[in-house]
Amino acid sequence: MFFSDDGKSVAIQMKHTKMLSKAKCDALSYAIENAVGQFEFDQSHVVGRALGQRVYVEMMIRELIFFISLSLLLTLLFLYIAFRSGWGMIIPALIVLLSLLWTLGFMRMIGKDIDLMLTVLPTIIFVVGVSDSVHVLSKYLGELRAGTPRREAVFKAFKSIRLAMFLTSLTTAIGFLTLIFSKIQPISDFGLYTSVGIMMAFGLTYAVLPAILMLAAPRRLDAYARSEDFWGKYLHSFFRLLLRRRRIVLAGGGLLFGISLAGISMSDVDNKMLEDLLDSHFLKQEFFYFEEHFSGCRPCELGIVLPGESGPMDPSVIRQLDILNTYLEDTYGVGSILSLPVIVRSLNMAANAGQRAFYALPADSADLHHMKRALKRKEIRDIYALTWDERTRTVRFAGKVGDYGRHHYEMRNTALDQFIRAACPDLSHFHVTGTAHLIDLNNKYLVDNMVKDLLLSILVIGLSMGIVYKSRRMIPLTILPNVLPILMIAGFMGFTGIALKVSTSIIFNIAYGIAVDATIHFLARVRSLMKDVYTKTYAVKSAYLSPGK
C-alpha cells in the first residue's frame, strides 16, 4: 500500500476531518507543502481533496476575471463592426455591465457565493444583454434611415419590438429556470441566478437604453444610420438565393437531421476524475504520478452485509472473502487493498517467521481460530475495525484503482456481480461505493436530469409562444429551427467521441435558451406585418432584412 513497485517512492496516506471548509482545506494543503519542503527529497507529489479544492477555486477566480474581460473585449469588437460608432459600443456594453453588477449584487445580498458553475454566468449575461440592445439599436437606426425624427424613432423602435424582446428574455429565462428542478444544488443555483440576470438585463435595456439615446444624442450613431446600410445589400442577395434554392435547403436540413441522429446513436455517457484539466496541468501530472507508481488515485470500496448470524471469521465466510479479495486484485484491478483477508494473511505470515509462502489463509481450522483471537489484540484491533462493523454486520474492502472512467467500471461491476453470485453466494448482499463511484452515479443522474430539463424547456417555450400568439402553428415553428442545431452538436459529439457529462450536457440548455431568441424576433416581425395585410413573402423578406440582421 505504501511502496511503489520500483521501491523508490513511499506514500503517506492521510484522512482528514470530513466536510472541511475552503479556508481549512487551504490551511491544510499549505501546511503539508511547508512540511514536505523542510526535507531534501528528490521529488514530492501531493494529491487529494484539500489541494484539489484550493487549485480549482483559485483557477475559478482567474477564469472568472478572464471570461468577463474576454466577453467585454469581443462584445466591443463586434459592436464596433456592427455600428461603426463609439456610442454603438458604449451603450450595450454599459447595459450588460450594469446587468452583471446587479446580478452579482443580488446574489451577495441574499448570501450566495460564486461557485464553479456560476463562472459562466457573466458570459451568458453578456450574450443576452447585448442581444437585446442590438435589436433595439438596429430598429432605431432603421427608423432614422426612414427619415423619422430621433424622439419618434426611439418610441417606434421600442414599441415595435417590445413584445418580442419580452418573450425572448422570458423564454431564455424559462430555459435556464427549468434547471432549478435539479436535485444538485450548484446546477439548481446556476439555473435560478442566470434567469434572474437575464430578466435584469431586459429591464435595464428597457429603462436605460431609451434614456441614453434621448439624453446623450449620439450624433456619430445617427450619422452612421443615415449612411449606406452595409448589411442590406448582402442580405437581399442571400434571401433571393434561399428562395430559389428552398428545396435544396429543406433537403440539406433533412440530411443534417439524419446524420445528427446517426452521431447521437454513437454517444456515450462517461466521465473521469480530472478530465477537465489539461494533461500539462500540475495537478493532472501529480495524478498521473500516483497512477503510474502506485495503485492509482481513484478510491474503490466494497461493503458486504453478512447474512444471518454468520461472522466474518467463520471458515466458510473468510474463505469466500479471500476468493473475492483475489478476484479484486487479479481481475477487477484493485491495488493497495485493505481487507480482512489481507490482515489474516499478514498475521499468518508473521506467525511463520515472515515467510512469503505463508501469505495465505491458514489451512488448519485451529490456526484460523488462533488468528481470530489475534484480531482482538490491542495493536490489531483498530485495523480490524476498519474492515468489519459489527453493528451493521458489514465487511469492508477498500483500495485504489486506475481512473479509466465510469463506463469501464460499470462493466467491471456487472462482471463482479456475476462472479460473487457464482463463487461467493454468502456475499451476495454487497454494495460498490466510494467517492469515485458516487461521482459516477452523480454524473449519470445529472446527464439524465439535463436531458429532462431540456425537453421541459422546449415544451414550456413552445407552449408559451402558442398561448401568447393564440396559434398552434407557432409551437412547431418555435421549436424546430432551434432543435436542429442542438441535434447537430450532439451528433458531432457522438462522431468525435466527446462523452456526455455535466460540463458538456449543460451546453444544450444554454444553446436552446439563447438560440430561440432569434426565432421569436423573426416570427414576431412576420406576424406583425401579416396583420397589416402584407403578403407572406413580403413579411418574411422584411423580417429577414430587419430582425434577421
Side-chain angles (χ1 to χ4, degrees):
M1 293 175 65
F2 303 111
F3 297 91
S4 62
D5 292 338
D6 59 10
K8 295 182 178 180
S9 304
V10 62
I12 300 175
Q13 298 191 23
M14 293 168 283
K15 295 282 188 181
H16 59 68
T17 306
K18 293 181 180 179
M19 306 301 289
L20 281 184
S21 66
K22 164 71 169 59
K24 290 182 178 179
C25 276
D26 288 355
L28 176 59
S29 65
Y30 283 123
I32 292 172
E33 288 180 3
N34 291 335
V36 172
Q38 296 175 18
F39 303 92
E40 296 181 358
F41 296 128
D42 290 342
Q43 295 181 30
S44 62
H45 303 271
V46 181
V47 294
R49 177 184 169 240
L51 175 65
Q53 179 169 283
R54 189 188 99 201
V55 170
Y56 264 90
V57 170
E58 290 173 354
M59 186 165 56
M60 180 184 74
I61 294 170
R62 289 196 305 271
E63 291 195 348
L64 181 63
I65 297 170
F66 171 75
F67 284 126
I68 291 176
S69 304
L70 183 62
S71 296
L72 181 60
L73 179 65
L74 292 176
T75 298
L76 293 174
L77 178 63
F78 159 73
L79 291 171
Y80 180 76
I81 294 172
F83 297 114
R84 310 292 173 86
S85 161
W87 280 108
M89 297 163 58
I90 293 170
I91 294 172
L94 177 63
I95 290 171
V96 293
L97 284 174
L98 283 173
S99 305
L100 179 59
L101 288 173
W102 277 36
T103 305
L104 295 177
F106 172 76
M107 290 169 56
R108 185 66 264 171
M109 284 172 58
I110 63 175
K112 173 62 183 174
D113 295 319
I114 296 176
D115 57 31
L116 197 61
M117 285 296 303
L118 290 173
T119 54
V120 295
L121 178 64
T123 306
I124 294 172
I125 291 178
F126 268 96
V127 170
V128 176
V130 166
S131 176
D132 287 342
S133 300
V134 166
H135 277 293
V136 173
L137 287 175
S138 181
K139 185 64 179 174
Y140 168 72
L141 295 176
E143 292 294 336
L144 290 180
R145 285 193 186 97
T148 308
R150 181 190 299 116
R151 184 182 185 87
E152 190 177 346
V154 172
F155 177 77
K156 284 187 174 182
F158 276 89
K159 183 180 179 181
S160 63
I161 63 171
R162 61 187 174 186
L163 178 60
M165 273 184 60
F166 173 72
L167 284 176
T168 55
S169 299
L170 180 64
T171 51
T172 303
I174 288 173
F176 286 103
L177 203 58
T178 56
L179 296 175
I180 67 171
F181 296 110
S182 171
K183 294 180 182 179
I184 308 302
Q185 197 59 46
I187 301 290
S188 179
D189 290 344
F190 171 73
L192 173 62
Y193 295 114
T194 303
S195 61
V196 169
I198 288 167
M199 294 312 295
M200 283 185 174
F202 166 74
L204 285 167
T205 301
Y206 232 79
V208 177
L209 186 51
I212 294 176
L213 290 175
M214 291 304 303
L215 297 175
R219 295 185 180 86
R220 183 82 180 270
L221 190 63
D222 292 2
Y224 172 67
R226 292 180 171 87
S227 65
E228 182 184 359
D229 183 6
F230 170 80
W231 303 96
K233 176 174 60 175
Y234 295 100
L235 287 174
H236 266 103
S237 301
F238 201 61
F239 181 71
R240 287 194 296 269
L241 178 65
L242 286 177
L243 286 183
R244 289 197 299 268
R245 301 284 190 271
R246 54 183 177 269
R247 290 186 178 179
I248 296 176
V249 171
L250 285 172
L255 180 62
L256 283 174
F257 180 77
I259 294 173
S260 300
L261 291 182
I264 291 171
S265 67
M266 301 166 62
S267 297
D268 193 15
V269 179
D270 202 6
N271 57 275
K272 296 182 180 179
M273 293 183 68
L274 292 181
E275 63 188 340
D276 291 323
L277 293 179
L278 295 173
D279 287 349
S280 58
H281 193 279
F282 91 92
L283 192 61
K284 195 75 168 283
Q285 289 294 316
E286 300 285 73
F287 196 83
F288 286 153
Y289 181 85
F290 282 88
E291 289 275 296
E292 181 180 352
H293 291 85
F294 291 89
S295 301
C297 294
R298 180 186 169 103
C300 177
E301 304 226 1
L302 194 66
I304 302 166
V305 181
L306 296 184
E309 299 298 322
S310 58
M313 288 299 292
D314 291 356
S316 63
V317 174
I318 189 63
R319 299 200 188 284
Q320 290 183 60
L321 290 172
D322 191 56
I323 291 170
L324 175 58
N325 196 102
T326 302
Y327 178 85
L328 291 174
E329 289 179 326
D330 297 343
T331 305
Y332 196 98
V334 185
S336 300
I337 292 182
L338 174 64
S339 67
L340 183 56
V342 167
I343 296 173
V344 174
R345 288 177 187 177
S346 302
L347 286 171
N348 190 42
M349 186 170 70
N352 289 275
Q355 297 180 68
R356 183 69 185 178
F358 287 92
Y359 184 69
L361 295 185
D364 188 82
S365 296
D367 290 338
L368 192 60
H369 182 70
H370 175 71
M371 297 298 163
K372 185 175 181 180
R373 285 188 299 170
L375 291 171
K376 297 179 181 179
R377 294 206 303 260
K378 183 179 179 181
E379 64 270 23
I380 304 295
R381 196 164 51 223
D382 290 342
I383 301 175
Y384 176 50
L386 295 174
T387 64
W388 166 245
D389 186 339
E390 192 166 359
R391 183 179 59 83
T392 60
R393 298 187 50 74
T394 303
V395 178
R396 174 177 175 243
F397 286 77
K400 299 292 179 65
V401 292
D403 189 29
Y404 302 118
R406 184 188 68 83
H407 189 62
H408 172 86
Y409 286 106
E410 270 191 349
M411 294 189 293
R412 288 293 171 94
N413 291 338
T414 301
L416 175 65
D417 180 67
Q418 295 171 352
F419 175 81
I420 289 178
R421 295 186 187 283
C424 313
D426 291 338
L427 312 181
S428 58
H429 297 289
F430 75 95
H431 303 277
V432 177
T433 182
T435 305
H437 180 68
L438 295 179
I439 290 173
D440 290 346
L441 293 178
N442 194 40
N443 273 279
K444 186 176 186 304
Y445 168 78
L446 280 173
V447 171
D448 293 343
N449 208 52
M450 291 292 181
V451 173
K452 292 176 183 176
D453 288 340
L454 176 60
L455 294 176
L456 178 63
S457 175
I458 291 171
L459 178 63
V460 171
I461 291 173
L463 289 175
S464 299
M465 290 295 292
I467 292 170
V468 169
Y469 286 107
K470 299 177 182 178
S471 170
R472 286 178 296 180
R473 296 180 65 188
M474 290 296 287
I475 298 175
L477 285 174
T478 304
I479 292 174
L480 290 176
N482 302 298
V483 168
L484 181 58
I486 291 175
L487 293 176
M488 290 169 63
I489 294 171
F492 174 80
M493 290 171 60
F495 283 123
T496 54
I498 299 173
L500 281 172
K501 51 191 174 183
V502 178
S503 56
T504 54
S505 60
I506 199 171
I507 290 170
F508 302 110
N509 295 71
I510 295 174
Y512 188 83
I514 293 175
V516 75
D517 292 1
T519 307
I520 292 172
H521 275 290
F522 195 95
L523 293 175
R525 177 68 173 169
V526 170
R527 284 185 59 84
S528 174
L529 290 171
M530 289 182 67
K531 278 186 178 179
D532 294 337
V533 201
Y534 287 101
T535 65
K536 185 190 297 184
T537 303
Y538 179 84
V540 171
K541 178 183 177 182
S542 178
Y544 199 88
L545 299 178
S546 182
K549 180 200 311 178

